[in-house]
Amino acid sequence: MGQSFSFTTQTWHKLKKNKGAIFGLLIIASAILMSVFGYLIAPDTTPNADLQTVELQAKNPGFKQLFLKIPDKKNGKSGWFTKLMYGRAEDYRYLPISKYQVKGDSLIVNKYVDEDTSVVQIYSINALTRHKETTLLQQNIVTKNYYLGTDKFGRDILSRLIIGTKVSLAVGLIAVFISITLGVVLGAVAGYYRGWIDEVIMWLVNVTWSIPTLLLVFAITMALGKGFWQIFIAVGLTMWVSVARLIRGQVMAVKEMEYIQAARALGLSDGRIIIKHILPNIMGPVLVIAASNFATAIIIEAGLSFLGIGVQAPQPSWGLMIKENYNFIITHNAILALIPGFAIMLLVLAFNLLGNGLRDAADVRGES
């Protein structure tokens, strides 16, 4: 049988043998699926998973609550794609109750206020549903499970954790795209042409690098404003310098090799030599630093959201979730703040493991 010499095939074959990289890849794949189909799998499918029940604030994981669903006609219908991307407002208001009973055409409920307090309220069954009494009990009285508990606004933490995955991955993806694009272009030009071009680019790199990352992010964020899209640009524009320095050094080493000299002798253009012959041979380090920058972007976004200048409420963000619940660390519900922190740690670890695996798999010099 013939042996495939495809670089991609050989890289994947070696990557599969690295258990740490495969573990990281599975975590990242799960996160991607959650970010795409989050509104279809989250218990709370309202926009930004922002269904608040103030009576149920700061409940422990595994908490269950009985609800009366009251029709809310003001919410319009939305299509499947709209729900997939942005969620859909509920057609009901959810009233927490501790118990209920039916008397004739009336439903008597004890509205839940706290563990020791309830308020009696009476509703007309006809106003709740046009169906029979058995249908009322099946459709309008439901039990919700809060598998990871609730935050200080009574929102489902599991739902916000799932929807918040989209923010972390989106920030990482776009920030890495910006940083890799700028870093590869400037680093390749500086390393290939040297001279005054190299001096100008390296001066820009050194000036940018001399500014602390968070301070530079603060300045860019304040200039562009607080928000979801601004954080992409702010994070991306602070991470390109490490890419540029790495690419510059790699290009300087590779361009002196014999096959590059042969390409020059054949009259190939500089652009073709850089794109077709140099960059493919330094993809290993690029993949590693891309994975590292992805992890860094997730941490920076979480830190900015925690400080209040990143993603703004009510949009879910893991850093914002920590900010909203960190005061519970010194009280009775520390797990509410630790859950999003653990999610950040797990996703960052996954990208670092995958980056290390890609570094080893893409290293053609390691072939025997």
Side-chain angles (χ1 to χ4, degrees):
M1 295 179 63
Q3 184 178 2
S4 172
F5 290 96
S6 168
F7 173 77
T8 304
T9 302
Q10 293 187 13
T11 299
W12 170 243
H13 181 69
K14 290 191 290 184
L15 186 66
K16 289 190 297 184
K17 298 179 181 179
N18 190 320
K19 294 181 180 179
I22 294 300
F23 172 77
L25 188 61
L26 290 176
I27 296 297
I28 295 169
S30 300
I32 292 174
L33 290 176
M34 284 195 294
S35 68
V36 174
F37 301 105
Y39 281 111
L40 300 182
I41 63 178
D44 180 4
T45 59
T46 59
N48 295 319
D50 194 38
L51 184 61
Q52 301 182 15
T53 309
V54 293
E55 296 89 351
L56 305 180
Q57 57 181 314
K59 296 298 182 182
N60 287 318
F63 176 77
K64 295 182 180 181
Q65 178 61 45
L66 196 65
F67 285 92
L68 171 64
K69 294 168 60 177
I70 304 174
D72 189 356
K73 300 299 183 184
K74 66 180 181 180
N75 294 326
K77 299 294 183 181
S78 58
W80 180 85
F81 182 76
T82 302
K83 180 180 178 181
L84 177 67
M85 296 299 297
Y86 307 107
R88 185 172 68 87
E90 285 282 356
D91 296 326
Y92 297 88
R93 290 189 297 111
Y94 284 83
L95 182 74
I97 61 177
S98 55
K99 61 181 180 179
Y100 65 91
Q101 66 177 116
V102 178
K103 283 190 177 182
D105 293 335
S106 299
L107 177 68
I108 303 174
V109 300
N110 289 68
K111 178 186 176 183
Y112 177 92
V113 178
D114 56 40
E115 295 179 357
D116 303 318
T117 309
S118 63
V119 177
V120 177
Q121 295 184 354
I122 302 176
Y123 293 89
S124 169
I125 291 179
N126 293 331
L128 296 174
T129 178
R130 295 180 180 178
H131 299 287
K132 297 180 181 179
E133 178 182 313
T134 54
T135 305
L136 166 70
L137 300 180
Q138 293 172 357
Q139 295 185 355
N140 289 69
I141 297 178
V142 297
T143 300
K144 282 190 176 184
N145 295 318
Y146 294 93
Y147 298 102
L148 296 181
T150 62
D151 63 11
K152 67 178 183 179
F153 299 106
R155 298 174 295 194
D156 181 33
I157 287 183
L158 175 59
S159 298
R160 291 184 64 79
L161 195 71
I162 293 174
I163 304 304
T165 307
K166 182 181 299 185
V167 173
S168 295
L169 290 181
V171 169
L173 179 63
I174 298 180
V176 165
F177 176 78
I178 294 174
S179 65
I180 292 296
T181 301
L182 287 176
V184 168
V185 171
L186 294 178
V189 170
Y192 188 83
Y193 290 105
R194 302 302 304 276
W196 68 269
I197 297 179
D198 182 33
E199 293 179 0
V200 171
I201 293 177
M202 289 311 299
W203 175 85
L204 180 61
V205 167
N206 291 330
V207 169
T208 306
W209 211 332
S210 66
I211 305 173
T213 301
L214 285 180
L215 185 60
L216 185 58
V217 170
F218 290 161
I220 296 174
T221 303
M222 293 303 179
L224 299 177
K226 301 177 183 178
F228 186 64
W229 294 103
Q230 291 86 336
I231 199 68
F232 293 158
I233 301 174
V235 175
L237 291 178
T238 59
M239 296 193 302
W240 66 271
V241 289
S242 57
V243 181
R245 289 181 68 95
L246 174 68
I247 296 300
R248 173 180 175 269
Q250 294 289 323
V251 170
M252 288 172 57
V254 172
K255 78 168 188 176
E256 302 299 333
M257 293 187 175
E258 294 180 355
Y259 71 93
I260 300 298
Q261 302 298 329
R264 284 177 175 172
L266 291 173
L268 299 182
S269 65
D270 293 340
R272 182 172 181 179
I273 292 175
I274 293 174
I275 296 173
K276 295 290 186 179
H277 299 283
I278 295 181
L279 292 183
N281 286 282
I282 59 175
M283 284 305 297
V286 172
L287 291 174
V288 175
I289 199 166
S292 175
N293 281 355
F294 213 117
T296 303
I298 292 172
I299 294 176
I300 293 177
E301 180 276 322
L304 292 175
S305 297
F306 179 82
L307 294 174
I309 61 174
V311 174
Q312 300 298 300
Q315 190 167 24
S317 163
W318 293 347
L320 188 59
M321 291 175 66
I322 296 177
K323 176 187 177 182
E324 292 172 345
N325 299 306
Y326 79 96
N327 58 316
F328 294 123
I329 293 178
I330 59 175
T331 57
H332 60 291
N333 277 344
I335 190 67
L336 301 181
L338 296 179
I339 287 173
F342 178 76
I344 295 171
M345 181 193 72
L346 186 61
L347 193 56
V348 169
L349 175 64
F351 275 105
N352 285 331
L353 290 175
L354 179 61
N356 292 336
L358 288 172
R359 176 197 61 200
D360 298 335
D363 186 9
V364 295
R365 290 170 294 184
E367 294 286 347
S368 58

